């Protein structure tokens, strides 16, 4: 007997694309193959659709507690589900910061009540909690430690190498880092006074990223700590990451693969402003080479909503960040359709990759014994991304008006349909992800 039978879809499995049904019981995949529909309580007709293992977005800012005029765990998770995402990891630069067991437990409880999909939270490293992170990183619902090495939105910052070393020595899990060199950021801040957002990637330049990543790799080697570099944007970091692959994994964001300077700043102004910045075509081409070659481990949206009013402040007072959790799947499927990556590589980057990098249990694969998390996509559907479709509380997307081919038609979380044909279904039932320790 199955609680749910997904019938007639093309499944992307570890063996490649297979035309097969998927049987789900108690939230788990229990059978694949040609399955008997009379054995099912509910049937999902997936004819014409590709059934992907659930897409994981390992970098979102959902702003709760404290900044819920931009987003909260309910609205952020809803936006994710509408975009075909089945699991999110959320970042600690809320207000207050998620830098203690109490703050982490608060988020986990709040997400249990309001999140429509599964979740985990990063704990933020600070100079104060540096020596206690080893016990914090293994708490329920924790995706690991996040260290801001360069300042961005909020107050989290560990910029001095001696404190970064303390952070790296405390704990064993892979540590996620925002890698920009704070000293260089501060030294150059004044150089671009009176200019607009086009100067953003000049201020936070390639050297900022390369200096920081070089120093983090040396610290990781010294302390034997596995490292994960978030949102890599520069050509210059790629050979360093390649040469240290036994230590380091890294993420690339869809917006860095899709938008390019200077055009994006001329068209979108401060809406295109984020950290690390959208850069020019040379960097974008290098990131695509790294996607193609297999060097990149995961995709993450860095969903970072700010209101339009906040974004209207003149640069550099305008906050950095843009929403993205809902557009990750459509944008990348459009890239699949345009031949920039295969559907299999997309699945590697959004399911198998996050499971491997972060040690997620029971997620990342469409196979018996795994959670029944699926992203069902129509590779041929043509749609236009609009502000109206975007359900982030901030109410806008930098991709408003973009026509794409390939669209998420349903999101299934542990055997429950949570989104179908653009509508959310059912109450919030998200649960914390479990991890290897
Ligand atoms: O652009 C960004 N916005 N980069 C970050 O690192 C943080 C994020 C935010 O929280 O707004």
């Amino acid at each position: 007997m199955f609680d749910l039978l997904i019938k007639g879809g093309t499944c992307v499995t570890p063996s490649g694309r297979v035309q097969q049904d998927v049987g789900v019981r108690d939230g788990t995949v229990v059978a694949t193959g040609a399955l008997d529909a009379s054995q099912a309580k509910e049937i999902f007709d997936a004819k014409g659709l590709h059934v992907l293992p659930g897409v994981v977005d390992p970098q979102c800012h959902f702003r709760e507690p404290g900044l819920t005029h931009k987003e909260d765990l309910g609205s952020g998770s809803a936006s994710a589900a509408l975009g075909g995402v089945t699991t999110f990891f959320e970042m600690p630069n809320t207000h207050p910061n998620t830098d203690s067991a109490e703050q982490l437990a608060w988020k986990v409880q709040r997400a249990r009540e309001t999140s429509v999909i599964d979740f985990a939270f990063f704990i933020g490293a600070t100079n104060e909690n540096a020596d206690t992170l080893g016990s914090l990183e293994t708490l329920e619902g924790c995706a690991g430690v996040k260290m801001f090495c360069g300042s961005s939105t909020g107050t989290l910052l560990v910029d001095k190498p001696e404190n970064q070393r303390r952070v790296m020595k405390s704990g064993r899990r892979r540590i996620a880092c925002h890698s920009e060199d704070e000293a260089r950021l501060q030294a150059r801040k004044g150089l671009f006074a009176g200019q607009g957002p086009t100067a953003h990637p000049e201020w936070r330049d390639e050297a900022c990223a390369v200096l920081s990543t070089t120093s983090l790799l040396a610290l990781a080697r010294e302390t034997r700590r596995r490292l994960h570099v978030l949102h890599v944007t520069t050509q210059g970091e790629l050979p360093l990451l390649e040469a240290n692959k036994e230590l380091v994994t890294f993420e690339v964001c869809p917006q860095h693969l899709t938008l390019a300077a200077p055009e994006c700043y001329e068209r979108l102004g401060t809406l295109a402003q984020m950290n690390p910045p959208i850069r020019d075509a040379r960097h974008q081409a290098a990131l695509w080479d790294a996607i193609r070659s297999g060097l990149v481990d995961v995709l993450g949206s860095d969903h970072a909503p700010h209101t339009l009013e906040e974004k209207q402040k003149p640069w550099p007072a305008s906050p950095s960040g843009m929403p993205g959790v809902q557009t990750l799947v459509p944008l990348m499927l459009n890239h699949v359709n345009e031949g920039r990556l295969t559907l299999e590589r997309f699945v590697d980057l959004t399911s198998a990759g996050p499971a491997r990098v972060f040690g997620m249990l029971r997620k990342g694969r469409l196979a018996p014994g795994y959670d029944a998390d699926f992203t069902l996509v129509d590779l041929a559907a043509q749609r236009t991304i609009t502000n109206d479709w975007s359900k982030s509380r901030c109410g806008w997307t930098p991709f408003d008006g973009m026509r794409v081919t390939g669209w998420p038609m349903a999101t299934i979380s542990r055997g429950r349909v949570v989104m179908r044909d653009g509508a959310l279904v059912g109450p919030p039932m998200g649960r914390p992800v479990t991890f290897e320790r």
Side-chain angles (χ1 to χ4, degrees), residues 6-339:
I6 302 171
K7 192 117 196 90
T10 304
C11 297
V12 179
T13 77
S15 303
R17 297 185 201 199
V18 186
Q19 194 80 39
Q20 63 177 12
D21 309 326
V22 183
V24 177
R25 194 167 56 235
D26 295 332
T28 302
V29 176
V30 291
T32 54
L35 303 177
D36 180 358
S38 70
Q39 294 293 303
K41 287 186 200 159
E42 182 186 348
I43 296 174
F44 190 109
D45 179 6
K47 211 172 298 137
L49 302 182
H50 282 74
V51 184
L52 316 182
V55 168
V56 179
D57 187 341
Q59 194 187 175
C60 295
H61 301 264
F62 282 168
R63 309 299 191 202
E64 186 172 8
L67 303 158
T68 53
H69 64 289
K70 306 183 207 257
E71 199 77 284
D72 63 28
L73 291 163
S75 64
S77 70
S79 179
L82 287 165
V85 170
T86 59
T87 301
F88 67 85
F89 295 176
E90 207 264 349
M91 286 295 165
N93 58 335
T94 43
H95 191 67
N97 292 321
T98 316
D99 58 2
S100 66
E102 292 69 34
Q103 289 302 331
L104 179 71
W106 189 91
K107 273 192 178 175
V108 170
Q109 183 53 34
R110 183 72 180 152
R112 279 180 177 275
E113 292 159 6
T114 61
S115 178
V116 301
I117 56 171
D118 288 353
F119 52 82
F121 297 98
F122 283 99
I123 193 111
T126 67
N127 295 333
E128 290 71 37
N129 72 7
D131 305 314
T132 64
L133 289 165
S135 57
L136 297 175
E137 71 174 6
T138 55
L139 294 171
E140 185 197 39
C142 188
V145 173
K146 156 87 179 270
M147 177 157 68
F148 279 91
C149 303
S151 53
S152 189
T153 304
T155 55
L156 285 172
L157 179 66
V158 181
D159 59 331
K160 301 282 180 291
E162 61 270 25
N163 288 326
Q164 294 174 351
R165 183 177 290 108
R166 285 171 58 217
V167 169
M168 290 226 186
K169 280 185 169 169
S170 179
R172 300 180 52 238
R173 294 177 71 182
R174 191 177 285 284
I175 180 164
C177 294
H178 179 121
S179 185
E180 290 185 283
D181 185 79
E182 182 67 9
R184 186 172 170 89
L185 285 184
Q186 294 308 332
R188 292 163 57 79
K189 203 170 186 170
L191 300 181
F192 305 95
Q195 298 192 33
T198 314
H200 199 64
E202 292 180 55
W203 168 36
R204 305 180 83 111
D205 66 354
E206 181 173 21
C208 276
V210 170
L211 274 173
S212 170
T213 296
T214 303
S215 143
L216 279 173
L217 285 167
L219 275 177
R221 187 164 297 286
E222 177 197 320
T223 58
R224 300 188 181 188
R225 187 76 188 261
R226 289 170 301 151
L227 177 68
H228 179 67
V229 184
L230 297 158
H231 41 39
V232 167
T233 59
T234 71
Q235 183 179 33
E237 286 167 283
L238 296 171
L240 303 171
L241 295 163
E242 182 180 335
N244 290 279
K245 212 69 190 82
E246 72 279 19
L247 285 175
V248 69
T249 54
F250 70 101
E251 171 192 84
V252 165
C253 301
Q255 57 271 47
H256 292 112
L257 294 166
T258 308
L259 302 172
E263 187 275 337
C264 68
Y265 298 104
E266 288 157 9
R267 184 164 52 87
L268 297 166
T270 56
L271 297 186
Q273 177 192 334
M274 68 170 292
N275 304 328
I278 311 282
R279 304 189 190 278
D280 65 20
R282 170 173 71 87
H283 294 289
Q284 191 185 81
L287 295 180
W288 273 116
D289 283 345
I291 293 278
R292 266 188 294 273
S293 73
L295 186 58
V296 181
D297 294 281
V298 298
L299 291 174
S301 72
D302 194 11
H303 178 84
H306 298 285
T307 65
L308 281 173
E309 197 184 342
E310 291 163 339
K311 277 292 207 181
Q312 267 158 21
K313 290 185 187 162
W315 185 88
S318 43
S320 292
M322 58 179 73
V325 71
Q326 199 174 328
T327 47
L328 184 154
V329 172
L331 284 180
M332 294 308 298
L333 292 181
N334 191 57
H335 287 306
V336 167
N337 271 305
E338 291 184 350

